[in-house]
């Protein structure tokens, strides 16, 4: 018996995956649950085990390619099955094309809902019969390219429009961004060597370009006086380490301040979606963790439900597992706001790039001892931390951004010695 | 029209019906002097006396048996079972007697009994105070099964149940006794047993729910509406007889069905609604029918984290709505 191996759904919000590395080659035997292929989703690499014992017949998706969840990526012959001597070869990653539809109705590369083996819902079949639609010509927008009821109705509507409308000019091709001019000959810098970017770097590259080119970033910064917070940290340092087994950093305080402020002013706990601003009920805080070769952003879900110590534990756990590459695919998805503790790297000021589809990202910078002028013209040495915010100017303006930032500052400055750590 | 909690609306219905019809009596454990374990009957014994508000021994089979006998002799008893979890000793009386009297008398006799019981999880009630029992009774022809999800419906449906000539199992979502508040019409407000209620209109998918889950389904619908998914939410209100036409009309409009209940999955109401749609509206379905339910567990766990893990919540329902809309 031949079994299709499909791209698994490795997390609730995951819709596609990239083939990193095939661990088996065609004709090699595989044991049940033996790792077959490494798949990358959302920066987390997962080994996909073989569902049966048998032999790998063919690889349908080559390394490096990204395909939607549910796509056939390989075919296996289950043990004890009499398989055809040679499986029908198929070019990797394609489905049998079913012929183009009428112009303007069929997107380039549309597969007519999955080609020859397409399955249609009863509603789709009934509508196709009623309207005389050849379903192979309809582009599917459902799960895995399935043709949905709405697709058939849209097709019928488009066909009617086409029948009644005068022929129109072809749509404008999308404008391509100007390529940077090549370096003039004779001045080419000598490369010190080139390596293909790792899959994780490619994901980061794609995300950053998407963010930078689609989100109008605005940037602002305030300074918080964390002298009292520093004293509080010093005061509880030893007992905390003894009790929890790890150091108490500034980060949990910052995250706590961010979450509480977002609850008070939810304008930045939002996403821009097709001309609408979607406000999120809970605060799912992403925390950037820099590794040697990648940047991961594990998410603390429903952070508003956690106390300060709860946040400290969650942060410690996520950072540790991010460094050990033991994060689940779901744990880096679904954030509604990101905090990046750039201060840990010694930064005193940064302009972070927003993590789409979020509306803002905050950095907490290194604490500096500074000579400052107090309200009564006294000079004092204080601990100052810069808080930098990049925000989506479509979602909010400076008024909301600074209301938020000052809320975080106010809360950070309110921490002080003698406070019980809950 | 005043805003009331569900428990107050239930008390109001009992009070009004007892005032209106001297044949109405209330009986159950602690319904008299104490006013009921959830105070649904508070103040009734002072008003109507111990002959009409009867404190019974701890004996569910006896409570329902006495109610059936009283009904056969011209009274209209409302029997309270403290928790739906304790109703099982009365199963014989309910199924073998009350449900069959109309049939075995060739339509000559009714059995106007109402059995009230608080049901459902989410209050850290553990193994003996959390059960959902609706499917046991919805399976039995001859019984009507009613579950209100709003104070107005609680009042109106309970009054209808008391006036019904045949037995009605009236299950109350106890987690909503105080949590659910809403406007309750004053005076003789009656909601007919049978018709479901469209609690929210939408065109992308149909979500069928009842009791406490109705409120979670509405919250979830609100959440996904922000993402462009308009869900039609149907409050069943009456599980037996099922309002087939409202369900079918909605599914014919949306092409997708999600059923939400906190009862176990296997043979829960979701199975019946799914079968109905498969039989009557297959050619309108554009996706498989989906269910969000409690898993098949012997009982609701007592540990808070475990209860939260198994009981459907707004997030799970919203995710099921998203998945079904994209299917």
């Amino acid at each position: 018996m031949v079994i299709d191996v499909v791209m698994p759904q490795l997390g609730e919000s995951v819709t596609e995956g990239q083939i990193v590395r095939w661990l088996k080659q065609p004709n090699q035997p595989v044991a049940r649950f033996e790792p077959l292929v490494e798949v990358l989703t959302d920066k987390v690499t997962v080994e996909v085990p073989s569902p049966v014992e048998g032999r790998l017949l063919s690889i349908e998706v080559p390394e490096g390619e990204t395909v939607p969840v549910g796509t056939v990526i390989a075919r296996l012959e289950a043990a004890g099955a009499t398989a055809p001597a040679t499986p029908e070869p198929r070019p990797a990653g394609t489905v049998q094309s079913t012929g183009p539809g009428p112009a303007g109705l069929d997107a380039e590369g549309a597969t007519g809902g999955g080609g020859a083996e397409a399955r249609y819902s009863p509603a789709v079949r009934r509508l196709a019969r009623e309207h005389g639609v050849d379903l192979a010509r309809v582009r599917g927008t459902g799960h895995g390219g399935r043709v949905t009821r709405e697709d058939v109705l849209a097709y019928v509507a488009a066909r009617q429009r086409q029948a009644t409308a005068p022929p129109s000019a072809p749509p404008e091709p999308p404008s391509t961004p100007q390529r940077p001019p090549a370096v003039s000959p004779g001045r080419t810098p000598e490369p010190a060597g080139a390596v293909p970017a790792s899959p994780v770097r490619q994901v980061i590259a794609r995300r950053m370009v998407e963010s930078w080119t689609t989100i109008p970033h605005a940037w602002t910064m305030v300074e918080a006086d964390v002298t009292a917070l520093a004293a509080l940290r010093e005061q509880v340092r030893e007992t905390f380490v003894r009790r929890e087994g790890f150091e108490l950093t500034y980060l949990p305080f910052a995250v706590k301040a961010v979450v509480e402020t977002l609850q008070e002013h939810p304008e930045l706990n939002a996403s821009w979606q097709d001309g609408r601003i979607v406000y999120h009920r809970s605060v799912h805080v992403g925390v950037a963790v820099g590794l040697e070769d990648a940047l991961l952003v594990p998410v603390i879900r429903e952070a508003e439900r956690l106390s300060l110590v709860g946040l400290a534990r969650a942060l410690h756990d996520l950072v540790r597992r991010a460094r050990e590459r033991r994060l689940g695919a779901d744990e880096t998805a679904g954030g509604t706001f990101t905090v990046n503790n750039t201060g840990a790297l010694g930064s005193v000021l940064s302009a972070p790039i927003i993590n789409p589809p979020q509306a803002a990202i905050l950095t907490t910078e290194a604490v500096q001892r500074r000579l400052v002028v107090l309200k009564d013209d006294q000079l004092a040495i204080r601990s100052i931390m810069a808080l930098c915010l990049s925000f989506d100017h479509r979602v909010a303006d400076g008024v909301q951004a600074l209301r938020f930032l000052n809320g975080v500052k106010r809360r950070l400055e309110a921490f002080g010695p003698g406070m019980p750590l809950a | 029209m005043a805003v009331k909690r569900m428990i107050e609306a239930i008390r109001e219905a009992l009070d009004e019906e007892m005032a209106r019809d001297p044949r109405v009596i209330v009986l159950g454990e602690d319904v008299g002097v104490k006013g009921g374990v959830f105070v649904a009957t508070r103040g009734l014994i002072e008003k109507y006396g111990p002959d009409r508000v009867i404190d019974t021994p701890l004996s569910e089979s006896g409570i329902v048996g006495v109610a059936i006998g009283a009904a056969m002799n011209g009274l209209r008893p409302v029997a309270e079972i403290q928790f739906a979890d304790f109703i099982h000793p009365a199963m014989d009386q309910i199924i073998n007697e009350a449900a069959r009297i109309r049939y075995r008398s060739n339509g000559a006799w009714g059995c106007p009994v109402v059995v009230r019981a608080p049901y459902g999880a989410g209050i850290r009630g553990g193994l003996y105070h959390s059960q959902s029992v609706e499917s046991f009774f919805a399976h039995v022809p001859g019984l009507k099964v009613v579950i209100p999800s709003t104070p107005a419906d609680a009042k109106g449906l309970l009054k209808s149940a008391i006036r019904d000539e045949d037995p009605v199992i009236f299950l109350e979502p106890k987690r909503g006794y105080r949590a659910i508040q809403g406007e309750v019409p004053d005076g003789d407000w009656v909601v007919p047993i049978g018709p479901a209620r469209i609690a929210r209109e939408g065109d992308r998918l149909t979500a069928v729910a009842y009791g406490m889950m109705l409120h979670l389904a509405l919250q979830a619908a609100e959440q996904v509406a922000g993402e462009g998914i308009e869900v039609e939410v149907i409050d069943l209100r009456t599980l037996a007889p099922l309002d087939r036409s409202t369900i079918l009309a909605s599914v014919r409009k949306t092409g997708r069905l999600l059923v939400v209940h906190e009862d176990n999955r296997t043979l829960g109401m979701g199975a019946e609604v799914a079968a109905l749609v498969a039989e009557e509206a297959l050619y309108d379905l554009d996706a498989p029918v989906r269910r969000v339910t409690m898993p098949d567990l012997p009982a609701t766990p007592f540990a808070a984290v475990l209860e939260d893990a198994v009981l459907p919540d707004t997030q799970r329902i919203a995710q099921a709505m998203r998945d079904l809309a994209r299917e």
Side-chain angles (χ1 to χ4, degrees):
Chain A
M1 196 172 82
V2 177
I3 289 175
D4 287 342
V5 180
V6 297
M7 175 62 71
Q9 179 155 20
L10 295 160
E12 248 181 26
S13 53
V14 178
T15 56
E16 56 179 24
Q18 184 186 16
I19 304 289
V20 179
R21 198 156 59 93
W22 284 101
L23 305 170
K24 292 279 171 193
Q25 292 309 315
N27 280 328
Q28 282 187 330
V30 286
R32 193 172 177 209
F33 300 136
E34 189 181 5
L36 193 64
V37 58
E38 275 183 5
V39 170
L40 174 87
T41 66
D42 234 28
K43 300 194 209 172
V44 176
T45 307
V46 182
E47 285 181 345
V48 177
S50 168
V52 294
E53 183 186 350
R55 188 166 62 91
L56 180 60
L57 285 178
S58 63
I59 288 175
E60 303 291 337
V61 179
E63 289 177 2
E65 223 170 275
T66 301
V67 292
V69 165
T71 308
V72 176
I73 57 174
R75 300 167 82 219
L76 292 169
E77 182 196 353
T82 49
T86 48
E88 196 71 17
R90 272 206 290 173
T94 63
V95 259
Q96 277 178 292
S97 178
T98 48
L105 291 179
D106 214 337
E108 200 182 327
T111 60
E117 298 150 32
R119 298 171 65 191
Y120 300 113
S121 76
V124 164
R125 283 198 308 228
R126 179 176 57 81
L127 284 170
R129 208 170 44 239
E130 285 171 4
H131 296 281
V133 172
D134 172 6
L135 286 171
R137 293 168 171 265
V138 181
R139 180 175 176 217
T141 62
H143 188 69
R146 187 179 75 85
V147 174
T148 67
R149 197 169 73 145
E150 289 77 13
D151 295 333
V152 182
L153 293 171
Y155 178 94
V156 171
R159 195 172 59 178
Q160 273 170 343
R161 273 199 307 274
Q162 228 183 19
T164 54
S168 60
E172 286 279 306
S175 60
T176 46
Q178 287 284 308
R179 285 179 53 173
V183 184
S184 54
R187 304 286 302 276
T188 316
E190 198 61 36
V195 288
S198 70
V200 170
R201 282 251 60 89
Q202 288 184 19
V203 172
I204 295 171
R206 199 177 64 234
R207 289 263 183 90
M208 291 300 113
V209 170
E210 177 200 349
S211 174
W212 195 247
T213 52
T214 59
I215 299 179
H217 281 60
W219 182 89
T220 180
M221 178 270 253
V222 301
E223 289 185 332
D225 182 340
V226 294
T227 313
L229 171 56
L232 167 64
R233 266 191 66 211
E234 206 48 51
Q235 188 184 49
V236 301
R237 176 184 294 250
E238 282 187 12
T239 47
F240 189 89
V241 171
R242 243 199 334 273
R243 197 181 67 189
E244 301 291 337
F246 59 90
E247 284 279 346
L248 179 63
T249 64
Y250 285 105
L251 191 55
F253 294 96
V255 172
K256 183 84 185 146
V258 163
V259 172
E260 283 182 3
T261 311
L262 284 175
Q263 296 252 278
E264 189 185 6
H265 304 298
E267 296 93 344
L268 293 181
N269 195 42
S271 299
W272 179 269
Q273 283 181 13
D274 306 327
R276 294 182 323 141
I277 299 174
V278 176
Y279 293 101
H280 306 294
R281 192 179 302 268
S282 274
V283 185
H284 306 311
V285 181
V287 182
V289 181
L291 305 176
E292 201 47 53
D293 57 344
L295 175 69
L296 295 176
V297 188
V299 175
I300 301 176
R301 298 194 65 78
E302 295 182 342
E304 70 273 10
R305 297 172 60 164
L306 292 175
S307 66
L308 183 75
V309 175
L311 282 171
R313 287 177 192 150
L315 284 163
H316 176 72
D317 168 61
L318 286 175
V319 170
R320 191 171 47 88
R321 288 193 294 114
R323 297 217 164 107
E324 296 169 358
R325 305 285 170 122
R326 289 196 300 112
L327 287 174
D330 252 357
E331 293 184 293
T332 56
T336 61
F337 188 97
T338 299
V339 176
N340 189 353
N341 182 21
T342 42
L345 304 172
S347 168
V348 294
L349 208 60
S350 40
I353 296 180
I354 294 165
N355 191 0
Q358 295 166 23
I361 179 168
L362 177 93
T363 63
T364 53
E365 303 291 336
V367 174
Q368 301 176 77
R369 304 279 288 155
R370 277 226 225 115
L371 196 58
V372 297
V373 183
L374 299 179
K375 279 206 176 73
D376 51 2
D377 283 358
Q378 296 262 3
L379 286 178
I381 299 170
R382 311 289 291 179
S383 296
I384 305 294
M385 177 199 272
L387 300 167
C388 306
L389 182 82
S390 295
F391 62 96
D392 184 340
H393 214 322
R394 296 170 303 179
V395 172
D397 305 322
V399 174
Q400 295 85 15
L402 281 147
R403 191 159 57 205
F404 165 77
L405 211 44
N406 281 314
V408 177
K409 168 188 162 94
R410 196 179 67 242
R411 287 180 167 85
L412 277 178
E413 291 180 346
F415 287 112
M419 287 178 91
L421 287 193
Chain B
M1 194 152 21
V3 171
K4 295 192 172 80
R5 298 174 196 277
M6 184 175 265
I7 193 76
E8 292 163 344
I10 288 166
R11 191 184 310 131
E12 197 168 283
L14 290 169
D15 190 3
E16 285 178 17
E17 289 306 291
M18 290 184 83
R20 197 183 61 85
D21 183 348
R23 295 172 302 164
V24 178
I25 63 165
V26 169
L27 70 162
E29 294 154 25
D30 286 334
V31 297
V33 179
K34 186 180 181 339
V37 65
F38 288 103
V39 300
T41 53
R42 194 173 58 198
L44 296 182
I45 194 165
E46 288 81 355
K47 232 167 157 175
Y48 303 106
D51 288 349
R52 292 183 63 200
V53 181
I54 303 161
D55 272 324
T56 67
L58 194 159
S59 163
E60 280 71 21
S61 176
I63 294 167
V64 177
V66 166
I68 293 169
M72 301 303 295
N73 285 282
L75 296 180
R76 304 185 82 82
V78 182
E80 177 179 296
I81 303 293
Q82 278 201 341
F83 284 86
D85 309 61
F86 314 152
I87 208 166
H88 305 294
M91 282 297 212
D92 174 58
Q93 292 297 326
I94 294 170
I95 292 171
N96 280 332
E97 307 300 339
R100 296 175 174 180
I101 284 168
R102 176 71 64 189
Y103 186 79
R104 73 192 263 202
S105 67
N106 202 16
W109 304 331
C111 179
V113 169
V114 179
V115 179
R116 288 181 46 244
Y119 86 103
I123 58 149
R124 310 300 184 227
L127 278 68
Y128 289 97
H129 301 85
S130 304
Q131 274 184 62
S132 293
V133 296
E134 60 270 26
S135 290
F136 297 137
F137 299 108
H139 183 66
V140 179
L143 294 177
K144 296 187 176 81
V145 180
V146 174
I147 298 184
S149 71
T150 67
D153 279 351
K155 176 179 174 177
L157 284 164
L158 183 52
K159 286 169 76 95
S160 289
I162 293 169
R163 296 177 196 186
D164 202 288
E165 294 300 332
D166 292 291
V168 179
I169 307 296
F170 194 87
L171 298 172
E172 299 159 6
K174 62 169 124 30
R175 187 173 155 198
Y177 269 159
R178 284 171 182 75
I180 303 173
Q181 301 186 34
E183 294 207 323
V184 180
D186 297 320
D188 197 16
W189 165 253
V190 177
V191 175
I193 291 175
R197 176 177 69 98
I198 307 256
R200 182 192 176 105
E201 293 209 345
D203 55 12
R204 193 83 179 98
L205 66 101
T206 300
V208 171
Y210 53 89
M212 199 65 206
M213 288 297 133
L214 186 269
H215 295 274
L216 302 194
L218 283 172
Q219 285 171 7
E222 188 64 39
Q223 223 177 79
V224 299
E227 300 158 29
I229 301 166
E230 290 297 341
V231 179
E232 181 142 305
V233 182
I234 295 179
D235 181 1
L236 279 187
R237 302 202 289 195
T238 299
L239 276 56
L242 191 61
D243 182 352
R244 300 155 62 95
S245 59
T246 298
I247 296 168
L248 291 172
S250 179
V251 172
R252 288 192 175 116
K253 178 170 74 166
T254 64
R256 288 172 168 82
L257 171 67
L258 175 74
V259 191
V260 183
H261 56 65
E262 57 179 281
D263 194 1
N264 299 341
R265 196 175 190 80
T266 301
L267 294 177
M269 280 310 295
E272 183 56 35
V273 175
L276 164 73
V277 168
E279 284 173 340
E280 304 287 340
L282 179 72
Y283 298 105
D284 296 284
L285 275 181
D286 193 27
V289 174
R290 298 282 181 217
R291 289 180 284 172
V292 177
T293 68
M294 188 91 96
D296 288 335
L297 284 174
T300 304
F302 176 66
V305 283
L306 293 180
E307 182 172 34
D308 290 344
V310 297
L311 191 62
D313 61 14
T314 306
Q315 294 307 330
R316 261 178 67 195
I317 298 168
Q319 193 54 48
M321 287 172 175
R322 284 185 202 106
D323 292 346
L324 185 55
R326 287 198 208 107
E327 186 106 28

